[in-house]
mmCIF file of all heavy atoms in Angstrom:
data_model
loop_
_atom_site.group_PDB
_atom_site.id
_atom_site.type_symbol
_atom_site.label_atom_id
_atom_site.label_comp_id
_atom_site.label_asym_id
_atom_site.label_seq_id
_atom_site.Cartn_x
_atom_site.Cartn_y
_atom_site.Cartn_z
ATOM 1 N N TYR A 17 -10.008 6.959 -14.592
ATOM 2 C CA TYR A 17 -8.645 6.689 -14.147
ATOM 3 C C TYR A 17 -8.173 5.374 -14.750
ATOM 4 O O TYR A 17 -8.914 4.384 -14.747
ATOM 5 C CB TYR A 17 -8.594 6.578 -12.623
ATOM 6 C CG TYR A 17 -9.023 7.821 -11.888
ATOM 7 C CD1 TYR A 17 -10.336 7.963 -11.446
ATOM 8 C CD2 TYR A 17 -8.126 8.849 -11.631
ATOM 9 C CE1 TYR A 17 -10.739 9.111 -10.768
ATOM 10 C CE2 TYR A 17 -8.523 9.994 -10.952
ATOM 11 C CZ TYR A 17 -9.825 10.120 -10.526
ATOM 12 O OH TYR A 17 -10.225 11.251 -9.848
ATOM 13 N N LYS A 18 -6.952 5.384 -15.246
ATOM 14 C CA LYS A 18 -6.371 4.157 -15.772
ATOM 15 C C LYS A 18 -5.228 3.717 -14.859
ATOM 16 O O LYS A 18 -4.359 4.512 -14.508
ATOM 17 C CB LYS A 18 -5.854 4.351 -17.194
ATOM 18 C CG LYS A 18 -5.362 3.042 -17.831
ATOM 19 C CD LYS A 18 -4.956 3.231 -19.285
ATOM 20 C CE LYS A 18 -4.516 1.912 -19.898
ATOM 21 N NZ LYS A 18 -4.109 2.084 -21.319
ATOM 22 N N TYR A 19 -5.239 2.448 -14.483
ATOM 23 C CA TYR A 19 -4.262 1.891 -13.558
ATOM 24 C C TYR A 19 -3.528 0.712 -14.187
ATOM 25 O O TYR A 19 -4.033 0.076 -15.118
ATOM 26 C CB TYR A 19 -4.953 1.362 -12.295
ATOM 27 C CG TYR A 19 -5.618 2.385 -11.418
ATOM 28 C CD1 TYR A 19 -6.909 2.823 -11.679
ATOM 29 C CD2 TYR A 19 -4.981 2.883 -10.291
ATOM 30 C CE1 TYR A 19 -7.542 3.739 -10.854
ATOM 31 C CE2 TYR A 19 -5.607 3.803 -9.451
ATOM 32 C CZ TYR A 19 -6.884 4.218 -9.740
ATOM 33 O OH TYR A 19 -7.506 5.116 -8.916
ATOM 34 N N GLU A 20 -2.336 0.430 -13.632
ATOM 35 C CA GLU A 20 -1.587 -0.767 -14.006
ATOM 36 C C GLU A 20 -1.289 -1.570 -12.748
ATOM 37 O O GLU A 20 -0.800 -1.034 -11.748
ATOM 38 C CB GLU A 20 -0.270 -0.400 -14.700
ATOM 39 C CG GLU A 20 0.508 -1.640 -15.156
ATOM 40 C CD GLU A 20 1.740 -1.279 -15.964
ATOM 41 O OE1 GLU A 20 2.115 -0.094 -15.976
ATOM 42 O OE2 GLU A 20 2.323 -2.197 -16.574
ATOM 43 N N ILE A 21 -1.569 -2.853 -12.776
ATOM 44 C CA ILE A 21 -1.347 -3.719 -11.621
ATOM 45 C C ILE A 21 0.153 -3.863 -11.370
ATOM 46 O O ILE A 21 0.912 -4.160 -12.280
ATOM 47 C CB ILE A 21 -1.986 -5.098 -11.853
ATOM 48 C CG1 ILE A 21 -3.510 -4.964 -11.950
ATOM 49 C CG2 ILE A 21 -1.606 -6.069 -10.727
ATOM 50 C CD1 ILE A 21 -4.211 -6.227 -12.388
ATOM 51 N N PHE A 22 0.566 -3.642 -10.109
ATOM 52 C CA PHE A 22 1.987 -3.782 -9.778
ATOM 53 C C PHE A 22 2.266 -4.871 -8.769
ATOM 54 O O PHE A 22 3.420 -5.235 -8.542
ATOM 55 C CB PHE A 22 2.576 -2.448 -9.273
ATOM 56 C CG PHE A 22 2.105 -1.999 -7.919
ATOM 57 C CD1 PHE A 22 2.771 -2.395 -6.764
ATOM 58 C CD2 PHE A 22 1.018 -1.143 -7.803
ATOM 59 C CE1 PHE A 22 2.348 -1.963 -5.519
ATOM 60 C CE2 PHE A 22 0.601 -0.699 -6.557
ATOM 61 C CZ PHE A 22 1.262 -1.108 -5.414
ATOM 62 N N SER A 23 1.221 -5.460 -8.169
ATOM 63 C CA SER A 23 1.447 -6.508 -7.177
ATOM 64 C C SER A 23 0.176 -7.317 -6.972
ATOM 65 O O SER A 23 -0.933 -6.771 -7.030
ATOM 66 C CB SER A 23 1.899 -5.898 -5.849
ATOM 67 O OG SER A 23 2.106 -6.884 -4.866
ATOM 68 N N VAL A 24 0.341 -8.609 -6.739
ATOM 69 C CA VAL A 24 -0.764 -9.500 -6.389
ATOM 70 C C VAL A 24 -0.316 -10.312 -5.180
ATOM 71 O O VAL A 24 0.783 -10.863 -5.174
ATOM 72 C CB VAL A 24 -1.136 -10.446 -7.553
ATOM 73 C CG1 VAL A 24 -2.226 -11.422 -7.118
ATOM 74 C CG2 VAL A 24 -1.579 -9.654 -8.770
ATOM 75 N N LYS A 25 -1.169 -10.378 -4.177
ATOM 76 C CA LYS A 25 -0.741 -10.973 -2.912
ATOM 77 C C LYS A 25 -1.871 -11.776 -2.280
ATOM 78 O O LYS A 25 -3.041 -11.397 -2.360
ATOM 79 C CB LYS A 25 -0.313 -9.849 -1.959
ATOM 80 C CG LYS A 25 0.112 -10.276 -0.572
ATOM 81 C CD LYS A 25 0.457 -9.044 0.264
ATOM 82 C CE LYS A 25 0.857 -9.395 1.678
ATOM 83 N NZ LYS A 25 1.108 -8.176 2.487
ATOM 84 N N LYS A 26 -1.530 -12.884 -1.647
ATOM 85 C CA LYS A 26 -2.461 -13.666 -0.850
ATOM 86 C C LYS A 26 -1.995 -13.564 0.592
ATOM 87 O O LYS A 26 -0.834 -13.851 0.898
ATOM 88 C CB LYS A 26 -2.471 -15.122 -1.308
ATOM 89 C CG LYS A 26 -3.551 -15.983 -0.678
ATOM 90 C CD LYS A 26 -3.561 -17.360 -1.315
ATOM 91 C CE LYS A 26 -4.690 -18.208 -0.747
ATOM 92 N NZ LYS A 26 -4.742 -19.550 -1.378
ATOM 93 N N THR A 27 -2.869 -13.137 1.494
ATOM 94 C CA THR A 27 -2.401 -12.817 2.843
ATOM 95 C C THR A 27 -3.503 -12.969 3.883
ATOM 96 O O THR A 27 -4.695 -12.978 3.555
ATOM 97 C CB THR A 27 -1.878 -11.366 2.882
ATOM 98 O OG1 THR A 27 -1.321 -11.109 4.165
ATOM 99 C CG2 THR A 27 -2.995 -10.380 2.615
ATOM 100 N N GLU A 28 -3.081 -13.089 5.138
ATOM 101 C CA GLU A 28 -3.990 -13.042 6.283
ATOM 102 C C GLU A 28 -3.869 -11.700 6.999
ATOM 103 O O GLU A 28 -4.633 -11.411 7.910
ATOM 104 C CB GLU A 28 -3.666 -14.171 7.269
ATOM 105 C CG GLU A 28 -3.843 -15.563 6.697
ATOM 106 C CD GLU A 28 -3.501 -16.640 7.707
ATOM 107 O OE1 GLU A 28 -3.383 -16.313 8.905
ATOM 108 O OE2 GLU A 28 -3.356 -17.801 7.303
ATOM 109 N N GLU A 29 -2.901 -10.885 6.601
ATOM 110 C CA GLU A 29 -2.642 -9.612 7.269
ATOM 111 C C GLU A 29 -3.583 -8.520 6.750
ATOM 112 O O GLU A 29 -4.235 -8.678 5.725
ATOM 113 C CB GLU A 29 -1.188 -9.198 7.032
ATOM 114 C CG GLU A 29 -0.178 -10.219 7.558
ATOM 115 C CD GLU A 29 1.247 -9.876 7.164
ATOM 116 O OE1 GLU A 29 1.426 -8.902 6.412
ATOM 117 O OE2 GLU A 29 2.159 -10.584 7.608
ATOM 118 N N GLU A 30 -3.628 -7.411 7.480
ATOM 119 C CA GLU A 30 -4.513 -6.316 7.110
ATOM 120 C C GLU A 30 -3.774 -4.984 7.011
ATOM 121 O O GLU A 30 -4.372 -3.912 7.122
ATOM 122 C CB GLU A 30 -5.664 -6.202 8.120
ATOM 123 C CG GLU A 30 -6.567 -7.437 8.116
ATOM 124 C CD GLU A 30 -7.790 -7.273 8.992
ATOM 125 O OE1 GLU A 30 -7.836 -6.286 9.763
ATOM 126 O OE2 GLU A 30 -8.686 -8.119 8.907
ATOM 127 N N GLU A 31 -2.472 -5.061 6.774
ATOM 128 C CA GLU A 31 -1.670 -3.840 6.664
ATOM 129 C C GLU A 31 -2.181 -2.933 5.547
ATOM 130 O O GLU A 31 -2.123 -1.701 5.642
ATOM 131 C CB GLU A 31 -0.205 -4.194 6.396
ATOM 132 C CG GLU A 31 0.704 -2.996 6.267
ATOM 133 C CD GLU A 31 1.742 -3.133 5.164
ATOM 134 O OE1 GLU A 31 1.841 -4.217 4.565
ATOM 135 O OE2 GLU A 31 2.425 -2.148 4.909
ATOM 136 N N HIS A 32 -2.722 -3.522 4.496
ATOM 137 C CA HIS A 32 -3.193 -2.761 3.344
ATOM 138 C C HIS A 32 -4.381 -1.862 3.685
ATOM 139 O O HIS A 32 -4.724 -0.973 2.914
ATOM 140 C CB HIS A 32 -3.587 -3.720 2.226
ATOM 141 C CG HIS A 32 -4.685 -4.676 2.614
ATOM 142 N ND1 HIS A 32 -4.451 -5.779 3.399
ATOM 143 C CD2 HIS A 32 -6.013 -4.678 2.343
ATOM 144 C CE1 HIS A 32 -5.589 -6.425 3.592
ATOM 145 N NE2 HIS A 32 -6.546 -5.780 2.970
ATOM 146 N N LEU A 33 -5.015 -2.097 4.839
ATOM 147 C CA LEU A 33 -6.161 -1.283 5.235
ATOM 148 C C LEU A 33 -5.745 0.066 5.817
ATOM 149 O O LEU A 33 -6.576 0.953 5.984
ATOM 150 C CB LEU A 33 -7.018 -2.036 6.253
ATOM 151 C CG LEU A 33 -7.668 -3.331 5.754
ATOM 152 C CD1 LEU A 33 -8.440 -3.997 6.875
ATOM 153 C CD2 LEU A 33 -8.569 -3.061 4.559
ATOM 154 N N ASN A 34 -4.463 0.211 6.114
ATOM 155 C CA ASN A 34 -3.961 1.485 6.636
ATOM 156 C C ASN A 34 -3.956 2.531 5.528
ATOM 157 O O ASN A 34 -3.386 2.328 4.459
ATOM 158 C CB ASN A 34 -2.542 1.297 7.182
ATOM 159 C CG ASN A 34 -1.982 2.585 7.755
ATOM 160 O OD1 ASN A 34 -2.736 3.444 8.207
ATOM 161 N ND2 ASN A 34 -0.668 2.720 7.727
ATOM 162 N N ILE A 35 -4.606 3.662 5.793
ATOM 163 C CA ILE A 35 -4.661 4.721 4.773
ATOM 164 C C ILE A 35 -4.082 6.039 5.290
ATOM 165 O O ILE A 35 -4.109 7.038 4.582
ATOM 166 C CB ILE A 35 -6.098 4.947 4.273
ATOM 167 C CG1 ILE A 35 -7.006 5.408 5.425
ATOM 168 C CG2 ILE A 35 -6.655 3.700 3.614
ATOM 169 C CD1 ILE A 35 -8.379 5.866 4.975
ATOM 170 N N ILE A 36 -3.565 6.029 6.511
ATOM 171 C CA ILE A 36 -3.007 7.249 7.097
ATOM 172 C C ILE A 36 -1.490 7.115 7.210
ATOM 173 O O ILE A 36 -0.981 6.202 7.864
ATOM 174 C CB ILE A 36 -3.612 7.524 8.485
ATOM 175 C CG1 ILE A 36 -5.126 7.712 8.367
ATOM 176 C CG2 ILE A 36 -2.961 8.755 9.121
ATOM 177 C CD1 ILE A 36 -5.828 7.866 9.694
ATOM 178 N N PHE A 37 -0.787 8.006 6.547
ATOM 179 C CA PHE A 37 0.677 8.003 6.561
ATOM 180 C C PHE A 37 1.147 9.402 6.948
ATOM 181 O O PHE A 37 0.817 10.381 6.287
ATOM 182 C CB PHE A 37 1.219 7.604 5.192
ATOM 183 C CG PHE A 37 0.658 6.296 4.706
ATOM 184 C CD1 PHE A 37 -0.405 6.269 3.807
ATOM 185 C CD2 PHE A 37 1.167 5.090 5.163
ATOM 186 C CE1 PHE A 37 -0.943 5.067 3.375
ATOM 187 C CE2 PHE A 37 0.643 3.889 4.741
ATOM 188 C CZ PHE A 37 -0.421 3.871 3.845
ATOM 189 N N ASN A 38 1.896 9.476 8.034
ATOM 190 C CA ASN A 38 2.302 10.769 8.577
ATOM 191 C C ASN A 38 3.452 11.416 7.818
ATOM 192 O O ASN A 38 3.631 12.632 7.867
ATOM 193 C CB ASN A 38 2.670 10.618 10.057
ATOM 194 C CG ASN A 38 1.466 10.207 10.897
ATOM 195 O OD1 ASN A 38 0.373 10.722 10.694
ATOM 196 N ND2 ASN A 38 1.659 9.274 11.813
ATOM 197 N N THR A 39 4.232 10.594 7.128
ATOM 198 C CA THR A 39 5.376 11.123 6.381
ATOM 199 C C THR A 39 5.457 10.452 5.019
ATOM 200 O O THR A 39 4.875 9.379 4.796
ATOM 201 C CB THR A 39 6.696 10.872 7.135
ATOM 202 O OG1 THR A 39 6.927 9.452 7.203
ATOM 203 C CG2 THR A 39 6.655 11.467 8.539
ATOM 204 N N THR A 40 6.200 11.066 4.125
ATOM 205 C CA THR A 40 6.448 10.466 2.815
ATOM 206 C C THR A 40 7.174 9.139 2.969
ATOM 207 O O THR A 40 6.904 8.184 2.227
ATOM 208 C CB THR A 40 7.292 11.421 1.948
ATOM 209 O OG1 THR A 40 6.584 12.658 1.792
ATOM 210 C CG2 THR A 40 7.566 10.818 0.577
ATOM 211 N N GLU A 41 8.069 9.074 3.948
ATOM 212 C CA GLU A 41 8.833 7.845 4.180
ATOM 213 C C GLU A 41 7.925 6.690 4.566
ATOM 214 O O GLU A 41 8.132 5.547 4.139
ATOM 215 C CB GLU A 41 9.891 8.068 5.258
ATOM 216 C CG GLU A 41 11.058 8.952 4.843
ATOM 217 C CD GLU A 41 10.685 10.439 4.724
ATOM 218 O OE1 GLU A 41 9.664 10.847 5.353
ATOM 219 O OE2 GLU A 41 11.386 11.167 3.988
ATOM 220 N N GLU A 42 6.908 6.971 5.368
ATOM 221 C CA GLU A 42 5.963 5.923 5.765
ATOM 222 C C GLU A 42 5.214 5.382 4.546
ATOM 223 O O GLU A 42 5.017 4.172 4.410
ATOM 224 C CB GLU A 42 4.958 6.473 6.786
ATOM 225 C CG GLU A 42 5.498 6.607 8.191
ATOM 226 C CD GLU A 42 4.415 6.996 9.178
ATOM 227 O OE1 GLU A 42 3.222 6.957 8.821
ATOM 228 O OE2 GLU A 42 4.767 7.351 10.315
ATOM 229 N N TYR A 43 4.789 6.296 3.688
ATOM 230 C CA TYR A 43 4.061 5.879 2.484
ATOM 231 C C TYR A 43 4.972 5.096 1.546
ATOM 232 O O TYR A 43 4.561 4.091 0.957
ATOM 233 C CB TYR A 43 3.488 7.105 1.789
ATOM 234 C CG TYR A 43 2.564 6.786 0.624
ATOM 235 C CD1 TYR A 43 1.485 5.929 0.781
ATOM 236 C CD2 TYR A 43 2.779 7.351 -0.636
ATOM 237 C CE1 TYR A 43 0.634 5.642 -0.273
ATOM 238 C CE2 TYR A 43 1.930 7.078 -1.701
ATOM 239 C CZ TYR A 43 0.866 6.221 -1.513
ATOM 240 O OH TYR A 43 0.032 5.930 -2.571
ATOM 241 N N GLU A 44 6.215 5.531 1.409
ATOM 242 C CA GLU A 44 7.184 4.815 0.572
ATOM 243 C C GLU A 44 7.406 3.393 1.092
ATOM 244 O O GLU A 44 7.471 2.434 0.311
ATOM 245 C CB GLU A 44 8.515 5.568 0.546
ATOM 246 C CG GLU A 44 8.503 6.819 -0.301
ATOM 247 C CD GLU A 44 9.820 7.563 -0.262
ATOM 248 O OE1 GLU A 44 10.640 7.290 0.657
ATOM 249 O OE2 GLU A 44 10.046 8.426 -1.138
ATOM 250 N N LYS A 45 7.531 3.257 2.410
ATOM 251 C CA LYS A 45 7.716 1.942 3.011
ATOM 252 C C LYS A 45 6.505 1.054 2.753
ATOM 253 O O LYS A 45 6.629 -0.139 2.453
ATOM 254 C CB LYS A 45 7.956 2.084 4.512
ATOM 255 C CG LYS A 45 8.205 0.756 5.219
ATOM 256 C CD LYS A 45 8.462 0.970 6.707
ATOM 257 C CE LYS A 45 8.687 -0.376 7.411
ATOM 258 N NZ LYS A 45 8.918 -0.180 8.862
ATOM 259 N N HIS A 46 5.333 1.645 2.864
ATOM 260 C CA HIS A 46 4.076 0.940 2.592
ATOM 261 C C HIS A 46 4.049 0.413 1.154
ATOM 262 O O HIS A 46 3.766 -0.765 0.910
ATOM 263 C CB HIS A 46 2.918 1.907 2.843
ATOM 264 C CG HIS A 46 1.569 1.391 2.470
ATOM 265 N ND1 HIS A 46 0.966 0.324 3.115
ATOM 266 C CD2 HIS A 46 0.681 1.822 1.533
ATOM 267 C CE1 HIS A 46 -0.225 0.113 2.588
ATOM 268 N NE2 HIS A 46 -0.426 1.007 1.631
ATOM 269 N N LEU A 47 4.361 1.267 0.196
ATOM 270 C CA LEU A 47 4.368 0.865 -1.211
ATOM 271 C C LEU A 47 5.402 -0.224 -1.472
ATOM 272 O O LEU A 47 5.152 -1.178 -2.218
ATOM 273 C CB LEU A 47 4.652 2.080 -2.099
ATOM 274 C CG LEU A 47 3.604 3.192 -2.099
ATOM 275 C CD1 LEU A 47 4.067 4.350 -2.962
ATOM 276 C CD2 LEU A 47 2.261 2.675 -2.583
ATOM 277 N N LYS A 48 6.563 -0.078 -0.853
ATOM 278 C CA LYS A 48 7.625 -1.064 -1.021
ATOM 279 C C LYS A 48 7.197 -2.434 -0.514
ATOM 280 O O LYS A 48 7.442 -3.459 -1.164
ATOM 281 C CB LYS A 48 8.889 -0.607 -0.294
ATOM 282 C CG LYS A 48 10.088 -1.525 -0.499
ATOM 283 C CD LYS A 48 11.328 -0.965 0.195
ATOM 284 C CE LYS A 48 12.521 -1.897 -0.025
ATOM 285 N NZ LYS A 48 13.744 -1.355 0.653
#
């Protein structure tokens, strides 16, 4: 798999650990 980096972040939050999205809108919001 080949990937391109789209974001770099320094954080104390753990939102990125969420892997369950019930709707396309939830996943879109997550990516945004």
Side-chain angles (χ1 to χ4, degrees):
Y17 299 95
K18 186 175 182 180
Y19 294 84
E20 182 174 12
I21 295 171
F22 70 89
S23 179
V24 176
K25 178 182 178 183
K26 188 174 183 179
T27 185
E28 297 180 14
E29 300 173 355
E30 296 186 349
E31 180 220 354
H32 60 283
L33 297 178
N34 181 27
I35 62 171
I36 299 175
F37 306 98
N38 296 318
T39 65
T40 301
E41 289 73 22
E42 283 187 11
Y43 187 53
E44 286 178 344
K45 182 179 179 181
H46 174 66
L47 295 177
K48 184 177 180 180

